[in-house]
Amino acid sequence: MTTLAQILADREPVCGGFQTRIPADWMQGRTSYGGLSSALALQAALLAEPDLPPLRSAQIAFIGPLAGEVRVTALKLRRGRNAAFLQADVASEAGLGLRAIFVFMRDQASRVDLQAPVVAHRPPPPDTKLWSGPQGFFASNMEFFDLKLPELGPAELLRWGRLKAREGLDPVVHLLTMGDALPPAPIRLLGMGAPISSLSWQINLLTPEPATTDGWWLLAAKADHARGGVASQAMRLWNADGVLVAEGTQSVALFG
């Protein structure tokens, strides 16, 4: 198993970013796991601009397949008094595979203070039987525990997940890596193994310093509309204390 920390440590500097290799055990089909390629893009952005404020939002387009050697570059689009916008690209021999826009912004004084309620779910106890993906698939680097609640909708997933090896990672890089770990929720309507692909992903961070306990994140995805081979899903991510840490949306292509 190749850890994310090893992938980042093995990077070689190039003009505007770095070059690294996506191992076979971080693939999903013929392309890199989207959470990994997004995390590589974020790492390039963090290296491109010094003293960035906290990450607040990421807008990610999954343009094409990524495999093997990849070149990850980033550039500053604009940096104002409060916010910074950076673009990051991940490309391989097949061409551009991912483009991301990252928005960094520090806390601002505001009279508004609205917080989502804390959920009651907590991570599985230490003696719980967990599951991982098969070897040669990105999920083999993770551990999961499904919450099979009767109130879940027909295209809704709720699952605890964590990286097996997470030491030495930037907390936000860790979060972004896990944020796309669920399969698209419409897969419940098609069946596991059905051809399905994420097109774009937006994730908004709700805290400047995301943190959890023992690496656990509660991941949720729910699709309310799927027609003509395209679905839209809402996504949420809580920490081990049940505090909502991130929200997002994703556009998904359905080939079946």
Side-chain angles (χ1 to χ4, degrees):
M1 183 180 75
T2 308
T3 68
L4 174 57
Q6 288 174 317
I7 296 171
L8 293 173
D10 291 343
R11 68 181 185 266
E12 298 179 0
V14 297
C15 181
F18 61 86
Q19 183 170 301
T20 190
R21 169 170 284 275
I22 296 175
D25 57 359
W26 279 94
M27 297 290 286
Q28 50 178 7
R30 65 192 185 99
T31 190
S32 164
Y33 160 57
L36 171 64
S37 48
S38 299
L40 294 178
L42 175 60
Q43 185 65 63
L46 294 172
L47 294 170
E49 180 72 7
D51 302 320
L52 284 167
L55 179 67
R56 297 297 180 165
S57 184
Q59 301 165 23
I60 298 163
F62 300 109
I63 297 168
L66 290 167
E69 293 289 335
V70 294
R71 185 183 181 96
V72 191
T73 56
L75 61 92
K76 179 177 66 176
L77 300 178
R78 182 183 182 275
R79 184 162 189 174
R81 184 170 54 186
N82 299 314
F85 291 75
L86 277 84
Q87 174 182 301
D89 291 345
V90 186
S92 65
E93 283 188 359
L96 181 63
L98 179 146
R99 173 160 289 175
I101 302 294
F102 296 108
V103 184
F104 302 84
M105 191 178 77
R106 60 178 53 87
D107 279 348
Q108 308 297 311
S110 174
R111 294 184 293 109
V112 178
D113 188 5
L114 175 65
Q115 298 186 40
V118 174
V119 299
H121 307 300
R122 292 297 179 270
D127 58 348
T128 302
K129 184 176 181 180
L130 308 173
W131 66 270
S132 297
Q135 293 299 315
F137 190 64
F138 80 89
S140 64
N141 297 279
M142 304 169 184
E143 295 177 314
F144 297 103
F145 179 75
D146 289 339
L147 295 181
K148 298 178 180 179
L149 305 178
E151 61 266 27
L152 293 180
E156 185 173 6
L157 295 166
L158 188 62
R159 176 180 297 173
W160 285 101
R162 67 179 179 182
L163 284 174
K164 291 178 180 177
R166 50 193 178 272
E167 293 76 15
L169 294 177
D170 181 290
V172 182
V173 172
H174 177 199
L175 181 147
L176 202 63
T177 304
M178 286 303 303
D180 192 34
L182 287 180
I187 204 165
R188 289 194 61 194
L189 304 174
L190 292 171
M192 296 301 292
I196 193 168
S197 178
S198 299
L199 299 173
S200 63
W201 179 31
Q202 172 154 342
I203 181 169
N204 299 323
L205 276 66
L206 310 183
T207 174
E209 297 180 358
T212 192
T213 303
D214 293 331
W216 283 116
W217 302 103
L218 180 60
L219 312 167
K222 181 181 180 182
D224 290 319
H225 182 89
R227 177 170 290 178
V230 179
S232 176
Q233 68 175 22
M235 306 166 73
R236 285 186 158 194
L237 186 150
W238 295 264
N239 67 13
D241 295 322
V243 177
L244 186 63
V245 173
E247 291 185 312
T249 60
Q250 198 166 79
S251 177
V252 182
L254 312 176
F255 303 98

